[in-house]
Amino acid sequence: MSLSVGIVGAGVIGRLLALKGHARGWKVTLIDRGNADGKSGCSMVPPAMLAPYCELDVTEKAVADLGVESLKLWPIILQEFNLQVYFQQMGSLVVAHPYDAGELALFKRRVLAQTTAEVFYEVTTEKLSRLEPEIDPLFQNGLFFPHEGQIDSRGLMAEMGMALEGKVDCRFGCSVDTIKPHEIRVDNDLMRFDMVLDCRGYGAAIDIKDLRAVRGEILRLYAPGIHLNRPIRLVHPRWPLYIVPRPDGHFIIGATSIEAEDNSPISVRSTLELLTAAFTLNAGFSEARILETSVGLRPAFPDNKPRIEHQSGLIRINGMYRHGYLIAPIVTDIACRLIDDGKAHPNDDFLLRRAA
Ligand SMILES: Cc1cc2nc3c(=O)[nH]c(=O)nc-3n(C[C@H](O)[C@H](O)[C@H](O)COP(=O)(O)OP(=O)(O)OC[C@H]3O[C@@H](n4cnc5c(N)ncnc54)[C@H](O)[C@@H]3O)c2cc1C
């Protein structure tokens, strides 16, 4: 008889697990308090840069390694599940305003402390203008990470949702009250499963005491006259900002990183800082149209590392922080192996934790 698995949370992690679980022959029930559109969690907010090396600025090598492996898996996943999603691997460019040259040097040192110089190369005026002809000529130095990429988070969430139809018992609009090994309770309805997967993101803070929220704000702009080829990061003394080009003149400008459990609308200060970053990179953004502002709460543990906490009948997958899309392929593979084989690879030990 096939394994019955109840997944709570239909963000990027819950949806990908549901797809993989169904492919493995599990009988999957996917439950979320929000609608099928996915807007109740933080997975609909990000630009979903797949930038394991640039993230070394804020994370450690073990997480970046998961990202490097996951980056190879995304095209395979898109093909396997026939997901028609914008995916690009044209690298990332990191630049600094001349006043912030010291920040660029610091960024380079942080990356180099954990990896080798082969993952990026330094670019100066001529090469910069070949890579990105439309950035302001005041930017004369940068670091180019040729292997990095991006994926359209919203397209992916929608396509995964459609791919699940008819395969998985999807229950949207159901707020789960309690999760226990083998059990999910919604109102007075108690559902029993061979295995329960808690993928509630920050919604799991009620049960996971050291989970915190890191607020992130972004803007979506329309500027059909501007052409950028790849995500560009602007190192900055307060927080790194980025501009991510999407097809048809769309851009995502992000992101703040604020220690707060506050998902109220974007602040004036953040809006000004994000718009200033865009304007500094290309003054043409002054004529861009602001299509949307959005805010998400990144689920994070004190060490900012992901965690898979397991016990018989219950696995909690959380702490995706800034890297949910970057590492989802590998994290979900590890969870699947844990369920089917009862063990993971020794290399995965750093993110596994046995529940007390
Ligand atoms: C501004 C910003 C920029 C980011 N940029 C990037 C990036 O460039 N690259 C990258 O890899 N990552 C990025 N991230 C991080 C990424 O978005 C997250 O790590 C990821 O989306 C977390 O996914 P999740 O599935 O764990 O949680 P979520 O997407 O939050 O999903 C959790 C789901 O659980 C549901 N839920 C919660 N409680 C309950 C309940 N009681 N009952 C039923 N359902 C419940 C929610 O409705 C939600 O749908 C960014 C995040 C933000 C906010």
Side-chain angles (χ1 to χ4, degrees):
M1 216 169 59
S2 58
L3 190 81
S4 67
V5 177
I7 303 177
V8 186
V12 61
I13 298 297
R15 283 178 201 224
L16 192 53
L17 270 170
L19 276 178
K20 289 185 178 181
H22 173 266
R24 285 172 170 247
W26 306 345
K27 187 169 174 294
V28 180
T29 304
L30 177 65
I31 307 168
D32 199 288
R33 65 183 171 193
N35 298 327
D37 65 14
K39 288 186 180 163
S40 55
C42 88
S43 293
M44 288 295 279
V45 176
M49 289 178 296
L50 307 174
Y53 304 113
C54 284
E55 285 296 306
L56 282 168
D57 185 36
V58 293
T59 192
E60 55 186 80
K61 188 171 178 308
V63 178
D65 287 346
L66 295 179
V68 172
E69 287 309 304
S70 290
L71 195 43
K72 293 181 205 152
L73 293 177
W74 270 122
I76 299 169
I77 290 171
L78 298 185
Q79 198 176 22
E80 180 183 352
F81 297 109
N82 192 23
L83 307 171
Q84 306 300 317
V85 181
Y86 174 76
F87 170 86
Q88 183 204 56
Q89 203 170 354
M90 286 181 64
S92 332
L93 185 62
V94 184
V95 295
H97 190 279
Y99 291 142
D100 299 329
E103 297 292 327
L104 188 63
L106 181 62
F107 183 98
K108 181 179 146 192
R109 276 205 301 279
R110 286 204 190 113
V111 171
L112 272 180
Q114 305 196 70
T115 187
T116 61
E118 280 122 52
V119 301
F120 69 90
Y121 53 90
E122 298 192 49
V123 287
T124 48
T125 325
E126 197 191 328
K127 177 73 182 168
L128 252 180
S129 63
R130 259 189 284 135
L131 284 169
E132 293 295 347
E134 296 196 13
I135 66 172
D136 194 292
L138 76 83
F139 292 96
Q140 292 173 358
N141 294 289
L143 306 173
F144 180 51
F145 294 77
H147 307 298
E148 297 192 332
Q150 60 156 315
I151 191 164
D152 171 13
S153 57
R154 292 184 173 182
L156 180 66
M157 287 284 285
E159 284 279 314
M160 288 197 291
M162 282 191 285
L164 289 168
E165 279 171 18
K167 296 183 182 136
V168 162
D169 178 6
C170 292
R171 302 189 188 187
F172 290 103
C174 290
S175 187
V176 167
D177 299 318
T178 52
I179 293 180
K180 290 184 182 164
H182 305 291
E183 282 182 19
I184 297 172
R185 183 180 287 278
V186 181
D187 295 327
N188 288 326
D189 190 8
L190 181 68
M191 292 175 262
R192 288 194 57 83
F193 298 93
D194 296 321
M195 176 59 75
V196 171
L197 301 181
D198 178 358
C199 306
R200 285 175 294 172
Y202 186 63
I206 189 164
D207 291 319
I208 306 178
K209 295 303 168 217
D210 57 347
L211 193 66
R212 75 186 203 285
V214 181
R215 173 182 163 95
E217 301 153 306
I218 64 157
L219 299 170
R220 286 174 188 259
L221 306 185
Y222 178 58
I226 299 177
H227 300 97
L228 301 177
N229 296 313
R230 53 183 61 74
I232 301 180
R233 291 181 183 234
L234 202 55
V235 289
H236 182 276
R238 236 154 76 79
W239 42 56
L241 302 176
Y242 50 73
I243 299 181
V244 178
R246 282 289 158 77
D248 305 323
H250 290 82
F251 295 85
I252 303 174
I253 320 290
T256 56
S257 197
I258 300 167
E259 293 289 332
E261 185 194 339
D262 167 9
N263 63 359
S264 62
I266 191 169
S267 69
V268 170
R269 178 184 184 159
S270 299
T271 310
L272 289 172
E273 287 188 3
L274 295 176
L275 290 176
T276 305
F279 179 77
T280 311
L281 207 70
N282 181 319
F285 277 113
S286 57
E287 282 304 317
R289 297 296 181 262
I290 300 174
L291 299 181
E292 189 189 316
T293 66
S294 40
V295 173
L297 298 181
R298 306 175 183 97
F301 289 112
D303 59 6
N304 293 334
K305 288 197 297 199
R307 187 189 293 170
I308 299 179
E309 188 179 291
H310 58 109
Q311 59 185 295
S312 176
L314 173 61
I315 298 181
R316 298 186 196 273
I317 302 150
N318 218 310
M320 296 302 124
Y321 185 41
R322 299 167 49 125
H323 312 122
Y325 283 88
L326 175 64
I327 64 178
I330 286 285
V331 167
T332 50
D333 270 1
I334 294 170
C336 287
R337 282 202 297 270
L338 203 55
I339 294 166
D340 278 345
D341 310 336
K343 60 178 187 304
H345 191 273
N347 289 352
D348 306 331
D349 278 354
F350 90 97
L351 53 71
L352 295 175
R353 181 183 286 208
R354 191 164 277 284

